[in-house]
Amino acid sequence: MKVIVGLSCWVLGALQGAILILVPVMMEQGEVTAWMIAIPLALGTFIFVVGSGYWGRWLDRCVANQRPLSLILTLILFGFTLSQLSFLSLLESNQLTGTNLIIGLCLSRVLHGMFCSGVIPTAQLWLAQKDKQGEKLIWVTISTNMGRITAPLLTFVPLDVTYFSLWFVLFITLLACISCCFLMCYQRNNKQFNFLSSPKYRLEDDNEAAAYPTTAPTIAPTPNTAAVTTNKIARLGYTVIMTAFLITLFSSQLQFSLGPILSTNGVLTALQASAMTAQLLLSASISALFSLFVLYKLLIRSTPLFLSFITLSFALGTVLLVLDIQLMLSVILISSALAMAPVWYTATAMGSTETRKARVSASISQAHTLGNAFGALLAGLLLTWNSGYLFLGFAILTVLIVLGWLRLYRQSTPLNNAVVNLPRQSVIEK
C-alpha cells in the first residue's frame, strides 16, 4: 500500500511538471495564447477544490466504518487514468485548434479535478498516524517532488514523440491502478484489509470529547479556558489556510510563467523554451528534495531556526528573481523554502485531531489548489497585459507569505501547552 500511495503522489508531481514544460509547445501547436491555455488548467484546479472537500469527508466516514483504503484509492486512480487519456487524445488530435481545443481540454480537466483531488488526502491519512512533526507526511511531498524531477528528465529522452512524458505518466498511473486493484482483491480473499489501526477512527465525530481514555486522571478545563483555546485553534486554522493559498499562488505563477517568458522574448523557439523550462524545474525539484531529505529534519528541531532559514532563502530568491539576476539560483532558493513550509504547517494542523485528519488534509489541499488555479490565471493575464506587474506581484506575495509564517508561529506556540488537557479537535472544522 505504501508503494502505491507513493506512486500516486509521484504521478501528481510528474503530470504537473510535464504539462508546465509543454505549455510553449501546446501554445504553438494549438494556435492559442498563454491566457487560453491557463483556462482549462485553472478549471481543473477549481474542480480539485470541490473534490478535495468531498474526498476528505468521505475518507473519514469510510475509515470510521472500517472500509479499506485500497478500494478508495483504486477508484481514484481509475478516474485519474481516464482523465489523462482524454487529455492526451485531445492534444494528439491535429484537427483541434484554437477554441475547440480549449473546450475539449476544459472537459478533460474537469474529470481530472474530480478524481486526482483524492490522492493527497488518502496518502496523508495513511501516513499521519502518530506523526506530529511531519516526519512521515514529508514523504508525500518527497514523492510529489520526485515526480517533478522525472518530468524534466523525460523531456530529454531522445524519442521523436512530442508528448512522450505525458504518455509515460499515464502508463505509471495505469500501473498503480492495476496494482491497487490486485492488492484489494488479495486483501479481500485473505481478509487483511488496510484499515487504520487506531480504534479512535471508528468513533463518530459527536463522541470526540470522550474518545481518548487515559490511564492517569487529568484536570478538566473550565468552560472559559476551553472557549479561549477553541478560538485560538480556529484562528490558527484560518492562518494555515491563507498561508497555504498564498504559497501556491506564488509558486503557480512562477512555474506557469517560466515557459511563456522564455519563448516570447524572441530569442528561444518553443522547443528551446520548453527545454530551458525543464532545466529550471529540474533544478527546483532537486533543491526541494534535498531540503526535504536533509534540511527539514535538522531544522525542524528548532522552529525559530527553521523559520529563519526558509525566510532568508525565500526572500533572497525573490530578490534575485525580481532583479532578473541568476534565474537558476533564484528558483533553487525559492523551491527550497516553499517545499519545507507546507510540511511544517500541515503537520501542525493534522496533529490537532485524531478523527478528522482527512478533512484537515483536504482543507489544506483545497487552499493549495485554489492558489494553483488563481496563480495560473493571474500569470496568464499578466503575461498578456504587462509582464512587469508579474514581478511586482512576486515581491508583494513574498512579504505576505513571510508575515503568514510569523503569525503561524506566534499562534501555534501557546497552543502547544494550552490544549494539553482539552479534547483533541481540528484546527479546520468542516
Side-chain angles (χ1 to χ4, degrees), residues 218-282:
T218 57
I219 300 176
T222 64
N224 291 337
T225 303
V228 171
T229 304
T230 301
N231 291 334
K232 289 181 179 180
I233 291 175
R235 289 197 295 270
L236 175 65
Y238 297 142
T239 307
V240 169
I241 291 296
M242 184 54 65
T243 304
F245 171 78
L246 292 175
I247 283 179
T248 49
L249 184 68
F250 183 101
S251 61
S252 178
Q253 286 189 68
L254 178 60
Q255 293 174 1
F256 184 85
S257 60
L258 287 176
I261 288 177
L262 293 172
S263 62
T264 55
N265 59 11
V267 178
L268 302 178
T269 64
L271 291 176
Q272 290 173 336
S274 293
M276 184 62 184
T277 303
Q279 294 178 12
L280 292 172
L281 293 180
L282 177 61

Side-chain angles (χ1 to χ4, degrees), residues 364-375:
I364 297 175
S365 181
Q366 285 177 317
H368 285 154
T369 307
L370 276 176
N372 277 323
F374 283 110

